[in-house]
Amino acid sequence: MNPTSQTGAAFIAGGSIAGAGISSTVGGIGIVGGFGGVGIGLAPVVAAGAVAGAAVYGAFQAITEGDTAAFGVMGIGAVGGAGVASVVGGMGFVAPKIGLAFGIGAVPMAGIGAVVGLAAYGIAKILDESQVKETPFEVFGRMEEKVLQMDYYSAALIELDLFLSGDDLNQKFAVWEIEDELKALKAKVKKQVVTPQSQPPKIEPKIVPQTTQTRENWRCVQTLKGHSAAVNALAISPDGKTFISGSNDRTVYLWNLSNGECLYTFYGQAEAVLSVAISPNCQQVISGSVDRKISSWQLDTKQYHRVFSYLNSPYSHNGFVNSLTYSGDGRIIASASTDKTIRIWGGYTGNLKYTLNGHTDTVYAVAISRDSQILVSSSKDKTIRIWDLETGKERCILTQDSAAKTVIISPDGQTLISGSEDSTIKLWNFQTGELRCTLTGHTTAVISLAINPDGKTLVSSSSDGVIKLWNLQTDEIIQTLTGFSPVAFSPDGKTLLSGGKNGVIKIWRQMQSDEKQPDFLSGEWWEVLGVHEDAHSKNVKFAFHQLARLYHPDMNNSASAKASMQAINRAYQQYKIQNLTPKPSL
């Protein structure tokens, strides 16, 4: 290869590395549109970086040599990109980790097509200069094959990300049977102390570190599979008989809470469903979606009702609908959106009453007090705002150093609880706005909270697949489970739901101390590990490490830890035998 073609290769390599860096920084990203939602992992982003590098080299060569052919291939690519936009329709780019979302229309698609055309030109120049007898398509095929084979590089990036976030215990458990390493790991699990946040009014809140778990009393009794993509939202009916789930697969499912039977599927959303709610009288189901709409159905007849809209707009918001909630009396519905607003709707009519403005960035969550007088909202702008629902005026603004992803209000109306991107949970005096204490124990962002109706137990879920139950009387951790957001308690407080990746929903039940505790880690290997049957090997391995971190007897002193760890090991061994063992040739 001559020096010029080496330069071209350097451009492509640089683009690939930049793509990997973007993927590790931004995290999970995706493209949504009329075709549904598509996740974009590390390999596609690396490949996109390679294309961008080739395009830059093509531009460099075209300018240097004055080759007008480059403009021709750009034109062809632009026409192709515009054609894709006309066939697929509106699309959007979503990066939930950093709260980024924007639309991709025909003009940006034409620009993307032009870049791809320029990349093809750049690769053609490299081929010509290196005298390699391959077509650009053959080169792209080889590049893609190499990118998809970057398992070791992908694993290294994942481990680096976990290390930087303080959660590298996951990968370390790959060799958990080594005593020296276990001792080193145990030494790293220390009490965490954080600096009190600066809050109005100025106080000195107490900090409650993670404590040793007590005996477990919650067990996963059933794993439900129905959705074909991640579950983003859960809501249990006030009568405790049914619950609904919203997913990236654009559907809302209705389930029987007692036996886990799927009763009905509600269709109508054009994009991923981000939020759901059931009316207090159990007559109406609503969902909020990426398509900027709030849709409603009659629960008894299962009939589609309407889309909540304002003025002459066909939409409910000008952005994604992140959160929905009913007031206790059913008179109003509150919705939160990426358009920085909160909208108040008639609970029975679905008509817009008024809009609450004040947040300067995406509104993540809303909650309404039991007396239906106060609304609380949290935003990416790092504020929590308390509103008077009768007047629509702000009562108080709480500020912190990290955005609260979720907020709830205790049943007695005395405590406001928020879960933040900095992995902490904050308990506020709801009447005065003072910060009572900060709970630490999670190692990644807390993105879902629920409180038992008795007001004594809090459940929190973080982005790394860890669920924690807290005693609100002592502010200590009761139990740690494995599962993803969202989480929800049943009205009687005896059932806990958790959702998350791969369309799986888990039902957890509270077991009395004198009951015989079943082996909740029974079933097929994918049920034990909490993954989809067709999950990639890296995801299966990661799930195994997560469970090992929670249940290894040297890290968990509960009575059932040993039996649980044995079940986890059996499941992982079964997976390796079925999927990783080479098949004998015939």
Side-chain angles (χ1 to χ4, degrees):
M1 183 178 291
N2 62 34
T4 306
S5 57
Q6 289 178 349
T7 302
F11 273 99
I12 294 176
S16 300
I17 295 171
I22 290 172
S23 179
S24 63
T25 301
V26 173
I29 58 178
I31 294 177
V32 296
F35 51 84
V38 180
I40 302 175
L42 173 66
V45 177
V46 173
V51 171
V56 172
Y57 177 69
F60 173 78
Q61 287 294 97
I63 293 171
T64 302
E65 300 177 5
D67 190 351
T68 57
F71 299 100
V73 295
M74 289 177 65
I76 294 172
V79 172
V84 170
S86 66
V87 174
V88 175
M91 293 190 295
F93 178 86
V94 186
K97 179 178 177 181
I98 61 174
L100 177 65
F102 58 84
I104 304 174
V107 174
M109 281 299 296
I112 293 171
V115 170
V116 173
L118 192 57
Y121 170 81
I123 290 179
K125 294 297 291 182
I126 295 174
L127 291 175
D128 182 58
E129 292 153 359
S130 59
Q131 297 181 349
V132 176
K133 303 303 181 182
E134 286 184 286
T135 68
F137 292 102
E138 290 172 334
V139 174
F140 267 123
R142 290 195 299 105
M143 288 172 58
E144 181 181 23
E145 181 181 1
K146 293 300 181 183
V147 168
L148 294 178
Q149 290 175 354
M150 294 173 66
D151 281 350
Y152 290 110
Y153 182 59
S154 301
L157 284 178
I158 292 172
E159 185 157 356
L160 176 62
D161 180 63
L162 292 170
F163 176 77
L164 294 176
S165 65
D167 198 29
D168 56 325
L169 295 180
N170 295 325
Q171 301 299 326
K172 293 298 184 181
F173 266 104
V175 287
W176 57 268
E177 69 276 8
I178 302 176
E179 292 299 324
D180 291 340
E181 183 158 351
L182 282 174
K183 291 178 181 179
L185 289 174
K186 286 188 288 184
K188 295 175 70 175
V189 181
K190 302 175 181 179
K191 291 185 177 181
Q192 302 180 33
V193 179
V194 299
T195 304
Q197 307 284 347
S198 175
Q199 305 290 342
K202 188 176 181 180
I203 58 170
E204 293 295 331
K206 73 174 181 177
I207 305 300
V208 181
Q210 179 175 358
T211 57
T212 302
Q213 301 176 54
T214 59
R215 184 179 181 182
E216 299 172 334
N217 58 354
W218 287 87
R219 292 292 182 274
C220 178
V221 298
Q222 197 169 5
T223 299
L224 308 181
K225 298 177 182 178
H227 288 291
S228 60
V231 176
N232 298 317
L234 293 169
I236 300 178
S237 62
D239 60 14
K241 296 180 180 180
T242 60
F243 72 92
I244 57 175
S245 56
S247 167
N248 279 350
D249 65 11
R250 298 178 287 174
T251 64
V252 174
Y253 277 30
L254 175 67
W255 307 82
N256 183 311
L257 184 60
S258 62
N259 60 20
E261 178 187 0
C262 181
L263 302 175
Y264 195 76
T265 302
F266 298 99
Y267 297 96
Q269 300 86 177
E271 306 294 351
V273 179
L274 303 179
S275 51
V276 294
I278 301 177
S279 63
N281 62 6
C282 299
Q283 294 299 308
Q284 184 174 242
V285 171
I286 57 175
S287 71
S289 172
V290 169
D291 65 5
R292 299 176 285 169
K293 296 177 181 178
I294 301 171
S295 303
S296 64
W297 296 264
Q298 290 301 118
L299 193 54
D300 53 352
T301 64
K302 312 298 188 298
Q303 294 297 309
Y304 184 79
H305 187 207
R306 59 172 294 184
V307 170
F308 294 3
S309 58
Y310 66 100
L311 299 177
N312 296 321
S313 172
Y315 303 105
S316 310
H317 276 276
N318 294 320
F320 301 170
V321 183
N322 291 327
S323 179
L324 289 170
T325 187
Y326 276 91
S327 61
D329 56 16
R331 292 186 304 108
I332 66 171
I333 296 168
S335 59
S337 172
T338 57
D339 65 9
K340 309 175 188 178
T341 68
I342 301 155
R343 293 204 162 138
I344 307 300
W345 311 83
Y348 304 108
T349 66
N351 295 328
L352 179 64
K353 289 178 172 290
Y354 55 88
T355 299
L356 302 178
N357 295 290
H359 285 294
T360 59
D361 211 327
T362 294
V363 184
Y364 287 131
V366 286
I368 297 177
S369 61
R370 179 166 289 189
D371 62 8
S372 304
Q373 299 298 308
I374 305 297
L375 180 141
V376 177
S377 60
S378 65
S379 168
K380 189 179 177 182
D381 64 12
K382 301 181 182 180
T383 67
I384 298 172
R385 296 174 187 252
I386 301 176
W387 311 78
D388 188 311
L389 280 177
E390 291 297 326
T391 64
K393 303 294 184 182
E394 287 182 354
R395 285 192 174 188
C396 182
I397 301 176
L398 309 177
T399 61
Q400 51 185 34
D401 293 335
S402 180
K405 303 284 288 186
T406 178
V407 287
I408 59 173
I409 302 170
S410 63
D412 62 8
Q414 298 301 307
T415 306
L416 167 64
I417 307 173
S418 62
S420 302
E421 290 181 337
D422 64 1
S423 77
T424 65
I425 300 168
K426 292 180 172 57
L427 278 62
W428 312 79
N429 185 311
F430 193 42
Q431 306 304 318
T432 65
E434 293 182 342
L435 180 62
R436 183 171 72 81
C437 69
T438 298
L439 307 179
T440 64
H442 285 288
T443 57
T444 58
V446 178
I447 52 181
S448 183
L449 294 170
I451 191 168
N452 194 299
D454 65 11
K456 297 178 181 178
T457 304
L458 172 72
V459 62
S460 58
S461 177
S462 55
S463 58
D464 60 353
V466 174
I467 296 173
K468 292 185 180 291
L469 291 130
W470 307 77
N471 184 326
L472 287 179
Q473 296 176 319
T474 63
D475 297 328
E476 295 180 340
I477 295 174
I478 300 172
Q479 187 179 354
T480 299
L481 310 173
T482 177
F484 288 89
S485 301
V487 289
F489 271 115
S490 63
D492 63 6
K494 296 181 180 179
T495 301
L496 173 66
L497 297 179
S498 66
K501 298 181 178 179
N502 302 315
V504 172
I505 299 171
K506 290 184 178 181
I507 298 180
W508 308 78
R509 307 246 189 238
Q510 190 173 23
M511 303 294 177
Q512 298 299 323
S513 58
D514 56 349
E515 289 184 18
K516 181 180 178 180
Q517 298 179 347
D519 183 5
F520 77 103
L521 291 170
S522 61
E524 300 293 340
W525 66 263
W526 61 87
E527 295 176 319
V528 174
L529 299 180
V531 298
H532 193 274
E533 184 177 1
D534 299 323
H536 191 278
S537 60
K538 292 195 296 293
N539 295 333
V540 175
K541 186 176 181 181
F542 180 79
F544 168 68
H545 292 162
Q546 286 282 87
L547 289 168
R549 182 171 71 98
L550 295 175
Y551 291 105
H552 190 276
D554 282 353
M555 307 297 292
N556 185 328
N557 60 6
S558 65
S560 62
K562 182 177 180 180
S564 298
M565 193 65 235
Q566 290 173 345
I568 293 166
N569 280 329
R570 285 195 300 269
Y572 191 56
Q573 290 301 319
Q574 182 183 4
Y575 161 74
K576 291 195 293 185
I577 291 172
Q578 293 182 6
N579 298 274
L580 302 183
T581 303
K583 301 295 189 296
S585 58
L586 298 178

